[in-house]
Amino acid sequence: MGKLWNIAVVGATGAVGEQMIECLEERNFPVGNIKYLASSRSAGQILEFSGKPVMVEELKHDSFEGIDIALFSAGGDRSREFCPSAAKAGAVCIDNSSAWRMDPDVPLVVPEVNSHVIAQYRKKGIIANPNCSTIQMMVALKPLHDYAAIKRIVVSTYQAVSGTGKKAIDELSKQVGELLNGRPAEVKVYPHQIAFNCLPQIDSFESNGYTREEMKMVFETRKIMETEIGVTATTVRVPVFYGHSESVNIETGRKITVAKAMELLKNAPGVELVDDVANGVYPMPLDATGQDLTLVGRIREDESIENGLNLWVVADNIRKGAATNAVQIAEILIGKYLK
Ligand code: NAP
């Protein structure tokens, strides 16, 4: 039997944490000991790993002795505070929050796109997972960029409530129940009612009028693609539980036909081409949920410019947008870098 690795899941009781545990199990990650960490509210709770009980412990600075890899999904503040302690104790942190993404000493990784930068984990002992919307867009665009050099991206997102975590999933189902029963919807998580509505605001507004989520897509895309590509984004929260959708328009340096784009995407890692409009076949969140591929369809030439394409890109935000991406990084780490 090969080496087993000691893993900590930070935020084990959350939407992403629970999915990370499931991904480790599903993918038969060679886990030795596993530690579940969360807030004091959850300490003592019993969860499972591969059918065996695991008690949730409170996250503390000394939680990481003997841990090889720490998978963080407990919010940016916890990542900022605790990743350095985990790294100091010898663990490599794979962080799902935005805390470290733009740090020049922290690699920002989508395994299908730029796994070579994982080697840079040595600088701080931290690897960042990109934003969920950025991950799926990168998986879809990388093969097209390699072929035709994308100059500009215009993206509009339709993001599921699970992207905000468990409390938002509860809020949408509760509001739907309240409204269908003729009662007013209680609004707690989002600035407005999300049931039967769309909110053109994800995260807070910056001084330029864009939201933080929109600017994350701009800056993270450039860091991952390693080029100053033009990106403009509008991010929208929609009343869907799981699965982010994106309308993506690209302008390329050279012509790329629909047929060529389809050929490239058919063979691209992590992509499933779902494009047969004659039969009403295109990507939808219901189909993307519960699996790890990024679904791409509705591919059309942008007839308003010389070299442009439109695409519709859908993925499971909790899996490929967070947990699966993190576990894929961990797999590369143990396969190539850790001893
Ligand atoms: P969530 O469902 O609200 O879960 C939050 C987790 O963080 C829970 O396990 C919670 O523990 C833990 N936590 C909160 N405060 C803590 C504290 N003071 N000390 C220790 N643990 C604490 O949220 P989520 O959706 O899983 O998101 C978690 C992180 O992943 C966020 O940084 C988010 O931005 C990022 N992310 C999420 C997605 C997504 O699609 N949801 C995608 C990419 C990245 P308790 O149960 O004890 O409160």
Side-chain angles (χ1 to χ4, degrees):
M1 194 200 259
K3 184 172 161 117
L4 299 178
W5 304 87
N6 297 336
I7 306 291
V9 181
V10 184
T13 51
V16 174
E18 281 181 355
Q19 187 61 60
M20 288 203 290
I21 293 165
E22 220 175 293
C23 283
L24 290 168
E25 290 171 336
E26 272 175 16
R27 298 170 77 95
N28 290 318
F29 193 91
V31 175
N33 296 323
I34 193 147
K35 197 171 208 180
Y36 292 165
L37 300 164
S39 77
S40 56
R41 295 179 291 274
S42 308
Q45 198 177 313
I46 307 290
L47 303 178
E48 285 194 352
F49 186 76
S50 296
K52 297 202 181 89
V54 180
M55 192 171 75
V56 178
E57 298 171 40
E58 183 181 354
L59 171 64
K60 296 199 173 131
H61 285 285
D62 63 2
S63 297
F64 299 95
E65 287 310 317
I67 296 295
D68 299 304
I69 298 175
L71 301 168
F72 272 79
S73 66
D77 290 345
R78 261 68 60 196
S79 296
R80 256 182 295 276
E81 186 179 348
F82 291 96
C83 284
S85 314
K88 202 163 162 216
V92 180
C93 303
I94 303 174
D95 182 32
N96 271 288
S97 82
S98 60
W100 300 96
R101 288 180 191 150
M102 296 314 296
D103 186 315
D105 291 333
V106 171
L108 183 64
V109 181
V110 182
E112 293 87 345
V113 175
N114 65 340
S115 64
H116 63 281
V117 300
I118 290 177
Q120 295 166 23
Y121 81 89
R122 293 188 183 94
K123 292 184 185 165
K124 277 203 165 131
I126 303 172
I127 299 168
N129 235 22
N131 177 272
C132 40
S133 305
T134 310
I135 292 178
Q136 67 185 69
M137 187 168 82
M138 294 299 90
V139 171
L141 293 189
K142 175 70 163 122
L144 307 179
H145 181 58
D146 287 346
Y147 176 81
I150 297 172
K151 293 199 297 194
R152 179 168 183 256
I153 303 168
V154 182
V155 55
S156 299
T157 69
Y158 305 66
Q159 296 182 222
V161 295
S162 53
T164 319
K166 277 187 169 175
K167 57 188 182 315
I169 300 171
D170 293 345
E171 175 138 319
L172 175 57
S173 45
K174 207 161 155 248
Q175 286 183 355
V176 168
E178 284 163 344
L179 292 163
L180 292 180
N181 282 291
R183 293 197 303 270
E186 193 184 358
V187 174
K188 283 208 281 207
V189 175
Y190 295 117
H192 305 279
Q193 175 187 314
I194 183 64
F196 310 111
N197 202 7
C198 293
L199 309 180
Q201 175 187 358
I202 297 185
D203 211 328
S204 52
F205 286 100
E206 304 273 30
S207 59
N208 63 0
Y210 286 86
T211 60
R212 287 188 63 205
E213 183 84 352
E214 287 160 352
M215 295 316 295
K216 281 178 199 169
M217 292 193 80
V218 174
F219 298 132
E220 292 178 21
T221 296
R222 290 181 185 153
K223 182 166 175 179
I224 295 162
M225 294 290 212
E226 296 178 76
T227 166
E228 285 302 297
I229 219 162
V231 183
T232 185
T234 302
T235 57
V236 181
R237 188 73 65 191
V238 296
V240 165
F241 284 102
Y242 296 96
H244 289 355
S245 305
E246 297 175 345
S247 162
V248 183
N249 174 271
I250 56 170
E251 184 172 3
T252 52
R254 74 155 152 151
K255 182 90 185 158
I256 179 165
T257 62
V258 169
K260 185 67 191 174
M262 285 191 177
E263 180 197 320
L264 292 167
L265 289 164
K266 215 181 249 170
N267 298 311
V271 173
E272 183 179 351
L273 182 66
V274 181
D275 197 329
D276 179 10
V277 288
N279 291 303
V281 175
Y282 34 72
M284 294 183 290
L286 283 180
D287 298 326
T289 302
Q291 55 85 60
D292 293 323
L293 296 171
T294 295
L295 312 185
V296 186
R298 296 291 328 275
I299 303 171
R300 291 147 286 155
E301 275 191 36
D302 177 349
E303 295 174 345
S304 70
I305 51 175
E306 209 177 322
N307 299 326
L309 276 185
N310 285 305
L311 313 107
W312 179 250
V313 178
V314 186
D316 185 325
N317 53 296
I318 302 277
R319 292 182 68 106
K320 184 55 193 165
T324 305
N325 200 73
V327 174
Q328 283 176 302
I329 293 170
E331 287 170 347
I332 297 170
L333 258 184
I334 61 164
K336 214 167 158 185
Y337 297 103
L338 300 185
K339 296 228 170 63

